[in-house]
Amino acid sequence: MNTALSWIKAYVPDLDVTAQEYTDAMTLSGSTGEGYTCLDKNLEKIVVGQIEKIERHPDADKLIICQVNIGSETIQIVTGAPNVKEGDMVPVVLDGGKVAGGQDGGPLPEDCLKIKKGKLRGIESNGMMCSIEELGSSRDMYPLAPESGIYILPEDTEVGADAVEVLGLHDVVFEYEITSNRVDCYSVVGLAREAAATFRKDFYPPVVKATGNDEDINDYLQVEVLNTELCPRYCARMVKNIRLAPSPEWMQRRLAASGIRPINNIVDITNYVMEEYGQPMHAFDYDLLAGHKIVVKTANDGDEFQTLDGQIRKLDSSVLMINDGEKEVGIAGIMGGENSKITDDVKTMVFEAACFDGTNIRLSAKKIGLRTDASGKFEKGLDPNNAEEAVNRACQLIEELGAGEVVGGMIDIYPEKREPVRVKFDADKINNLLGTSISAEDMKAYFRKIDLGFDEETQEVIAPTFRQDIHRMADLAEEVARFFGYDNIPTTLPSGEATTGKLSYKLRIEDIARSVAEFSGFSQSMTYSFESPKVFDKLLLPADSRLRQTVTILNPLGEDFSIMRTSPLNGLLTSLSTNYNRRNKDVRLYELANIYLPKALPLTELPDERMQFALGMYGDGDFFTMKGVVEELFDKLGMTKRIHYNPDCSRPYLHPGRKADIVYEGVVLGYLGEIHPDVADNYKIGERTYVAVLDMPNVIPFADFGRKYTGIAKYPATTRDISMVVPKNILVGQIEDIIAQRGGKILESFKLFDIYEGSQIKEGFKSVAYSITFRAKDHTLTDDEVGAAMKKILNGLQGMGIELRA
């Protein structure tokens, strides 16, 4: 929202601050300033001059010589402007002054032009007369300015006066970012109220006076609201004997500063009230309303309607419409119709100020593909009690500007009045929440500044209906904090049984996963949760794969972002591909990525959102490097039991001979392996690529941060080495299971130190050698104890068809 400071000062007249001071203070009090534009930027030494005499230039057909009275003296200016004549009042920039540098009909606000004395075709020129563009403005703000030529000031303008001030350019336009819960601040009155409270100044809202003749609008017009849920309030007033004319300059400039092009007094008044009160309004030509009746109801499925912009809009039964006695004449809260628009021939009109359901307006605007300034305000949920004040303000302006005769009375359909909200006030609780020691009286003073009432008997704060964001004690605390000053609140520790916080169990595990990955040389990546259905083909997923069952986005940015991902691999492989194609040799990436698995299709409940710890790499490293990272993570998480790797995993995107499911205590926690060559080709990665993915919700139950001190071993260890001839179909993991199961309590560790295949080993077999360590905690082991343990291990191995190698 854009607003001129001069408009704010109309309601806070004692406000005397710089643009930066205003922006900073308003931002701290909650009305965030996004920036500002000084309308008089680069304008210096510009005064009002009167042209006393004009002569032709002796050496140039298109130039003239003007004698210009600037009050203190008469100066000579040479110009090529075609629209000046003797007696005209014009803005003149003097020698050494500056203008905005507008050229070709448009302003250049960041540029400026310094004016110096000089000669044009041999004739001395001591300044320059200015167009409106050269003054940093435009014809949107000054509609009477010529398309090309000098801006002509009114005849009664004082000679020698500050032309910038005369034109109202000593002003600043502020841009605000208003949060959607502060609907009242989408109006100049609301912002002025906030400014008055922020700077501790008096606030003077517009005084709305009674208007209307002795007639009764009910004798002219009928209004019927058939859907009071979508239209909780509808106010209508009528004006006859319309006199269309340009609106006054002050109104035009305020509208233009807010980004609204002035049109005529009637249209400008509706826009002015919309900006002033945040209440959109609409005007209908009374003579075009069939039956002189207004009916508010929803459209029929398949209806079509031509809006004011000339476009045909397709409607359905959810779109609320304004109708007359025979036809639709406007889309409620969005735009009026071509069939009832205000034209230059209007004699009598109806002013509409209504409150419509914000959600319905937002959905309707999206359906018909039309969003307007009015719909942007309505969709935030307006205060129905504001409608009456706004329509009466519009009628007051009609009378003050002589734009017509207001008919007495108002039609007001308001079946269920919205009442103020009462919130229990407790100064001690607010202070405890904020960590402050503000007195109750100071808090009440803050409330009074922003028009919050207070009931001394019940000790309740009364929030007017325009403050739709106040419902509970925390909201009152926020109001106190805003005006006490966030920067004045001391730094304190939270109060309670403990004053130190820590990460949740889940976040601690994720933090350890990050640390392990980064310690192992992996860099964190972040990829989109939105994906394209095409990724399933790139990953070679079969048509019946569960991963193809996705949550589809209703309003996607495009096909490439149309579903929620069911696997983290696409984002990870895309990032690796980008690095590979940029010739990065050794790349290791990891991501803690959420996937979204629907519980049923079509969706009946929220999907299963699961965190996946995904690692990917190419270059320096192989399958066993990735396996080591996984085992390091499990070790850090206290998962001390044996990890199993099942090579019979059905994952088509992994290499058939270099893949495994990761199994812990019978639960599949994830998988690791080399990417299938076809998948690598699909992602244009020209090297062997390895990935590991762990499903964190399955990992978390097995994590254990309990650590027990065991002390340094007091007794010596005994080591036995065994070399075996093993059938190739037996995995070392199976051998290790036998060793772990049969080694007994004295087994301390075992380590594979050799695998050999060659001519010295018979066909279909391999040589495998282990070093096995035994140790007792309470005594030195004897050969008999170690021998008994080894015998059990060897018996188990022989049962698998394994032979000891001689």
Side-chain angles (χ1 to χ4, degrees), residues 475-489:
D475 299 326
L476 297 181
E478 182 180 7
E479 298 305 299
V480 172
R482 289 198 302 129
F483 296 110
F484 176 70
Y486 291 112
D487 51 339
N488 294 324
I489 296 177

Side-chain angles (χ1 to χ4, degrees), residues 556-623:
L557 297 173
E559 184 184 8
D560 289 344
F561 302 95
S562 60
I563 62 171
M564 303 298 291
R565 65 182 171 194
T566 56
S567 167
L569 282 184
N570 175 65
L572 191 63
L573 292 175
T574 300
S575 297
L576 289 172
S577 174
T578 300
N579 279 275
Y580 178 80
N581 288 287
R582 291 179 180 174
R583 300 186 179 181
N584 291 326
K585 293 182 179 180
D586 298 305
V587 177
R588 297 185 179 192
L589 299 176
Y590 79 93
E591 181 176 10
L592 283 161
N594 282 334
I595 63 169
Y596 306 84
L597 304 176
K599 298 173 183 176
L601 290 176
L603 286 176
T604 56
E605 56 181 317
L606 291 174
D608 185 12
E609 184 175 344
R610 305 183 71 83
M611 175 71 76
Q612 307 273 288
F613 180 47
L615 303 120
M617 69 179 190
Y618 67 79
D620 183 20
D622 56 15
F623 179 94

Side-chain angles (χ1 to χ4, degrees), residues 345-370:
D345 299 325
V346 65
K347 296 292 185 291
T348 307
M349 71 173 189
V350 175
F351 262 144
E352 165 196 282
C355 184
F356 302 113
D357 179 75
T359 302
N360 178 263
I361 295 298
R362 180 176 60 82
L363 294 174
S364 296
K366 182 178 178 181
K367 284 179 182 177
I368 67 174
L370 177 62

Side-chain angles (χ1 to χ4, degrees), residues 506-519:
K506 172 179 176 292
L507 292 180
R508 288 173 66 192
I509 291 173
E510 292 174 8
D511 195 43
I512 290 172
R514 289 189 188 92
S515 297
V516 169
E518 291 169 7
F519 177 80

Side-chain angles (χ1 to χ4, degrees), residues 181 218 300 337 493 497 558 599 641 673 680 693 696 724 756 774 796:
N181 66 329
N218 291 283
N300 300 313
L493 288 172
E497 294 181 1
K599 298 173 183 176
K641 296 184 180 179
V693 176
M696 297 306 283
M724 301 165 281
Y756 172 73
F774 299 95

Side-chain angles (χ1 to χ4, degrees), residues 450-469:
I450 50 177
D451 290 348
L452 300 185
F454 191 81
D455 189 328
E456 293 288 352
E457 184 176 343
T458 62
Q459 289 294 296
E460 290 176 319
V461 174
I462 305 171
T465 52
F466 66 77
R467 285 303 303 271
Q468 300 179 37
D469 59 312

Side-chain angles (χ1 to χ4, degrees), residues 61-132:
D61 292 339
K62 294 185 178 180
L63 296 179
I64 57 176
I65 304 169
C66 302
Q67 303 300 323
V68 184
N69 178 10
I70 60 170
S72 59
E73 60 178 317
T74 299
I75 62 174
Q76 180 172 286
I77 297 176
V78 179
T79 181
N83 66 316
V84 294
K85 63 181 185 300
E86 292 180 356
D88 281 346
M89 297 289 186
V90 294
V92 177
V93 56
L94 305 177
D95 177 40
K98 294 180 181 179
V99 292
Q103 297 174 358
D104 301 325
L108 299 173
E110 299 302 323
D111 192 13
C112 70
L113 180 64
K114 190 168 184 179
I115 304 302
K116 297 181 179 180
K117 290 182 180 181
K119 292 184 178 182
L120 288 177
R121 291 288 185 93
I123 301 298
E124 185 175 307
S125 183
N126 297 316
M128 184 180 78
M129 294 179 284
C130 303
S131 68
I132 200 63

